Amino acid sequence: MKYYSTNHQAPEASLQEAVVKGLASDKGLYMPEVIKALPQSFYDHIENLSFQEIAYQVADAFFGEDVPAETLKQIVYDTLSFDVPAVKVKENIYSLELFHGPTLAFKDVGGRFMARLLGYFIKKEGQKQVNVLVATSGDTGSAVANGFLGVEGIHVYVLYPKGKVSEIQEKQFTTLGQNITALEVDGTFDDCQALVKNAFMDAELNAHMKLTSANSINVARFLPQAFYYFYAYAQLKKAGKADNLVVCVPSGNFGNITAGLFGKRMGLPVKRFMAANNRNDIFYQYLQTGEYNPRPSVATIANAMDVGDPSNFARVLALYENSHKAICSEVSGATYTDEQIRETVKATYQETGYLLDPHGACGYRALEEGLKEGETGVFLETAHPAKFLETVEGIIGNEVEIPAKLQAFMKGTKQSIEMSKDFESFKAYLLKE
Ligand SMILES: *Cc1c(COP(=O)(O)O)cnc(C)c1O
């Protein structure tokens, strides 16, 4: 399969090139040249297949030309070592719980898949060690670090802003050891990102070591997110609830929902999608007006959705050939303030006993307000509420149980290397590695 850039100014890339480069040289995002429909027979019997079996069929449509079947199967099966259950919250509303992986957020799926695919390419080429640099404001670092943990031939450097991530988040990437190094930067997230960008542009450094990035626009992190939309459909079909299915996705950078839209293009019988925003509602405004006006993000309690210029908007436009009308025919939007998010977490907990996290709460509320007669809604519960402990406990006035997996991270000993935000010292450190 060839991958083209959404900016159309870069040469087409192979899967391997797209995965290793991440972003195209014209700064566009890679898109697969074709999105293959899956046969009707697959949908006819999908409810009898396991998550792994379903995901392999989807993976084969994207990656089957480039990765041998047995290898691809193993990558998919290893990646999805946890369940993604669709849990009924109330009549006609289901939660697709994407938080049963190692770091309790949906980014585990893409992070784990990408690590394994990159590991395969490196082995195949007999390349020397590849070094992954990733800047994080919290959740990405943990998903990427845990995804790559123990993968041969790859070393991961997580750069994070000192004192600006929660204790739980920090523990998830500073306690791992092995091939993961945490660099605690005396600066902001933007400083971390600048260090990473400068490293990619530095000729001397690139001659010394092979560098790559694991950010969320990478096709190997983006495409595997389609897997669980098919599994959600399978579960609802089994429950007899799949006829008029509406899928609602709490969205920030729009990678997650775009993978779902790819699924629909492959024939997945979803009636329509909803994108739930927090106050950073650039996409919502686009749907209303047809104008895309990026603006600086504002901080909210659904912080993983605080994005002012969603990268994957370029992929949405490419998928619908820039047609606002076509986009609006399949996707609607919603936007909520922190106050509304709090209200929703609290009321849902009181009325149903189900504890939402602040991101999932946007998705749930959009369904509550937007479902039409005869429709069934499923929202993506993108992270476990315990990852936002103080916020959620503050809202419900109760203690939240911390899952064993999170507790295990808390017990580990933090190991990090302190780093100034000055590029020369970062470079000197890497040159000694
Ligand atoms: C990353 C993230 C999101 C946003 O997903 P996008 O793919 O960027 O739209 C939503 N919720 C949580 C918990 C996240 O970590």
Side-chain angles (χ1 to χ4, degrees):
M1 176 91 74
K2 288 281 184 218
Y3 289 81
Y4 69 89
S5 162
T6 52
N7 284 347
H8 301 286
Q9 303 297 318
E12 285 193 325
S14 67
L15 174 64
Q16 180 166 347
E17 286 163 347
V19 172
V20 172
K21 281 182 121 164
L23 199 66
S25 55
D26 60 1
K27 300 208 163 60
L29 276 65
Y30 283 117
M31 288 281 280
E33 204 167 41
V34 268
I35 299 174
K36 292 182 196 160
L38 292 171
Q40 187 54 43
S41 56
F42 169 70
Y43 295 109
D44 287 345
H45 302 290
I46 194 169
E47 71 275 20
N48 302 321
L49 302 177
S50 71
F51 183 23
Q52 291 167 325
E53 288 167 334
I54 291 170
Y56 174 66
Q57 296 286 323
V58 178
D60 182 52
F62 288 121
F63 309 117
E65 292 168 23
D66 301 295
V67 184
E70 269 316 302
T71 306
L72 184 58
K73 196 167 210 168
Q74 196 180 350
I75 292 174
V76 170
Y77 279 52
D78 280 357
T79 298
L80 305 176
S81 56
F82 48 90
D83 196 17
V84 175
V87 174
K88 184 172 175 177
V89 178
K90 71 174 196 189
E91 206 50 41
N92 297 329
I93 299 188
Y94 290 76
S95 168
L96 187 69
E97 295 186 344
L98 289 162
F99 56 67
H100 296 282
T103 72
L104 294 89
F106 80 88
K107 292 187 175 75
D108 280 329
V109 173
R112 290 169 68 79
F113 187 91
M114 180 182 167
R116 282 158 183 78
L117 189 63
L118 194 58
Y120 160 71
F121 283 138
I122 288 166
K123 223 180 202 166
K124 185 179 125 203
E125 300 249 304
Q127 280 188 6
K128 62 172 189 177
Q129 177 169 292
V130 168
N131 301 280
V132 172
L133 301 183
V134 60
T136 185
S137 57
D139 279 337
T140 298
S142 53
V144 169
N146 284 275
F148 281 85
L149 183 64
V151 177
E152 237 178 276
I154 300 178
H155 197 100
V156 177
Y157 297 90
V158 179
L159 288 83
Y160 73 102
K162 181 182 169 74
K164 295 190 177 64
V165 304
S166 79
E167 196 190 342
I168 290 183
Q169 287 174 323
E170 185 176 40
K171 290 269 185 175
Q172 285 185 315
F173 51 76
T174 57
T175 59
L176 299 169
Q178 296 186 56
N179 59 329
I180 312 296
T181 303
L183 301 176
E184 189 171 5
V185 176
D186 193 7
T188 62
F189 168 68
D190 295 321
D191 294 323
C192 297
Q193 205 158 30
L195 288 177
V196 170
K197 281 189 182 153
N198 284 328
F200 286 126
M201 289 187 309
D202 190 276
E204 192 185 351
L205 206 47
N206 284 276
H208 173 74
M209 63 205 300
K210 193 166 174 63
L211 297 175
T212 187
S213 88
N215 54 28
S216 64
I217 51 188
N218 197 300
V219 286
R221 274 191 64 192
F222 161 70
L223 289 172
Q225 296 172 155
F227 299 162
Y228 41 73
Y229 290 89
F230 290 81
Y231 185 49
Y233 173 78
Q235 293 179 72
L236 287 159
K237 191 174 174 209
K238 204 164 198 170
K241 299 294 270 178
D243 280 348
N244 286 297
L245 192 60
V246 178
V247 178
C248 182
V249 187
S251 294
N253 227 351
F254 277 72
N256 207 3
I257 192 171
T258 307
L261 298 173
F262 272 52
K264 186 164 167 61
R265 196 57 67 87
M266 295 165 85
L268 183 67
V270 170
K271 186 179 168 196
R272 60 191 182 93
F273 281 82
M274 296 175 86
N277 281 152
N278 60 24
R279 281 202 297 130
N280 298 284
D281 60 357
I282 292 83
F283 184 78
Y284 176 81
Q285 298 301 338
Y286 166 78
L287 291 175
Q288 312 310 310
T289 64
E291 278 174 38
Y292 181 72
N293 293 314
R295 55 175 201 264
S297 63
V298 294
T300 76
I301 58 169
N303 63 297
M305 288 155 49
D306 294 348
V307 180
D309 185 6
S311 311
N312 287 288
F313 184 66
R315 284 196 170 114
V316 177
L317 285 179
L319 193 61
Y320 293 93
E321 291 167 354
N322 296 308
S323 165
H324 177 252
K325 192 167 160 230
I327 294 172
C328 290
S329 73
E330 294 194 344
V331 191
S332 64
T335 169
Y336 298 111
T337 63
D338 278 0
E339 205 36 55
Q340 290 174 308
I341 294 171
R342 283 199 185 90
E343 248 170 52
T344 307
V345 171
K346 189 165 188 177
T348 310
Y349 185 62
Q350 285 172 346
E351 287 160 20
T352 70
Y354 194 85
L355 185 58
L356 297 160
D357 96 289
H359 306 79
C362 296
Y364 176 82
R365 182 158 178 157
L367 287 177
E368 258 199 330
E369 294 179 350
L371 275 186
K372 298 182 187 127
E373 190 64 31
E375 291 178 335
T376 301
V378 58
F379 66 97
L380 272 48
E381 185 34 296
T382 47
H384 193 284
K387 285 198 94 170
F388 312 93
L389 201 62
E390 278 176 28
T391 305
V392 174
E393 287 184 342
I395 295 170
I396 62 170
N398 253 338
E399 269 188 33
V400 172
E401 203 181 318
I402 303 177
K405 265 183 246 167
L406 265 189
Q407 281 176 21
F409 283 116
M410 300 301 285
K411 286 195 199 107
T413 308
K414 170 183 159 182
Q415 280 181 302
S416 70
I417 293 172
E418 302 233 3
M419 190 71 52
S420 85
K421 62 181 182 185
D422 159 52
F423 179 65
E424 288 310 316
S425 54
F426 176 52
K427 179 175 167 181
Y429 165 78
L430 286 179
L431 285 174
K432 278 196 223 116
E433 285 285 285

